[in-house]
């Protein structure tokens, strides 16, 4: 039974890896094709200045998407290989949130969205975690919230709570947006690599489909989780 279990586990791992590589190949190919295609079109001397600007912006967006995808794949690979370094340091929760708001402020302002930080109860001045990984998690969660919110506000609630199966008290960050929401099927697959939202408005949102996977695994490396 032990040999059969190991064989089945190896087959499952192989299927997951093959699926990951297939998705990765598709995700990388699309922006590269866009960049190459627009580069050829820009060689046309008869294009107007306005057309060149539009194509240049499209190439820039594709380049930004490709760069983010490569970063996400590298982070994902490090986590899978157990090589993601974690440095636990004294961290200010409010300074961390202010840094995240500063990073995403322009993106939120363009859509007229307010970013609010709301304490619930007494919050420690400092707590111990990896500040870089915490920022990465919060930027991902808030970035998603901004993408899916058309207007209104996004709240980050912070509190101290005791979580089952985790020793001691935890600092809990809750991100609340005003997006379209998710159904049970979408939520069940939320942390799988390259999973994107389904049809309609959500399917038009740009993203690599790796951000929440990485954020969830980083949270586990820090001794917590995302739900």
């Amino acid at each position: 039974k032990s040999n059969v279990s190991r064989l089945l586990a190896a087959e499952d791992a192989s299927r997951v890896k093959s699926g990951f590589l297939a998705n990765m190949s598709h995700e990388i190919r699309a922006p590269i094709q866009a960049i190459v295609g627009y580069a050829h079109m820009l060689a046309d001397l008869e294009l107007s200045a306005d057309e060149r600007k539009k194509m240049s912006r499209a190439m820039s967006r594709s380049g930004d998407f490709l760069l983010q995808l490569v970063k996400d794949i590298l982070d994902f690979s490090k986590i899978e290989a157990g090589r993601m370094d974690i440095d636990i340091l004294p961290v200010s929760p409010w300074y961390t949130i202010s840094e995240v708001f500063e990073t995403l402020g322009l993106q939120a302002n363009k859509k007229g969205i307010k970013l609010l930080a709301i304490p619930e109860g007494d919050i420690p001045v400092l707590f111990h975690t990896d500040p870089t990984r915490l920022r990465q998690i919060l930027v991902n969660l808030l970035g998603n919230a901004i993408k899916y919110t058309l207007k209104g506000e996004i709240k980050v609630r912070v509190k101290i709570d005791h979580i089952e199966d985790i020793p001691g008290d935890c600092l809990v960050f809750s991100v609340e947006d005003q997006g379209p929401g998710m159904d049970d099927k979408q939520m069940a697959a939320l942390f799988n690599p390259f999973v994107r939202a389904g049809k309609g408005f959500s399917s038009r949102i740009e993203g690599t489909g790796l951000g929440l996977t990485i954020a969830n695994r980083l949270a586990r490396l820090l001794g917590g989780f995302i739900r």
Side-chain angles (χ1 to χ4, degrees), residues 93-114:
W94 298 116
Y95 182 73
T96 302
I97 290 175
S98 69
E99 285 184 313
V100 173
F101 279 13
E102 192 173 303
T103 300
L104 299 172
L106 184 60
Q107 186 180 337
N109 288 338
K110 282 182 178 179
K111 298 179 74 173
I113 296 169
K114 291 182 179 179

Side-chain angles (χ1 to χ4, degrees), residues 24 28 32 63-77 208 210 214:
M24 184 173 68
I28 289 176
I32 289 177
D64 289 342
F65 176 82
L66 185 60
L67 179 60
Q68 186 59 53
L69 178 61
V70 171
K71 287 180 180 178
D72 284 348
I73 289 170
L74 291 174
D75 279 346
F76 183 79
S77 300
T208 64
L210 275 175
I214 292 169

Side-chain angles (χ1 to χ4, degrees), residues 111-174:
K111 298 179 74 173
I113 296 169
K114 291 182 179 179
L115 301 179
L116 304 174
I118 302 171
E120 297 186 340
D122 294 331
I123 308 300
V125 176
L126 296 173
F127 72 110
H128 287 80
T129 189
D130 185 316
T132 301
R133 303 310 166 198
L134 176 61
R135 278 195 303 271
Q136 192 172 353
I137 293 168
L138 291 176
V139 164
N140 185 280
L141 296 179
L142 275 164
N144 271 0
I146 293 169
K147 284 180 188 177
Y148 286 97
T149 298
L150 292 175
K151 60 181 180 179
E153 58 190 24
I154 294 168
K155 298 174 182 176
V156 181
R157 301 183 186 275
V158 188
K159 67 178 180 179
I160 293 291
D161 201 0
H162 180 73
I163 307 297
E164 190 176 352
D165 298 328
I166 297 180
D169 289 332
C170 296
L171 193 61
V172 180
F173 297 88
S174 301

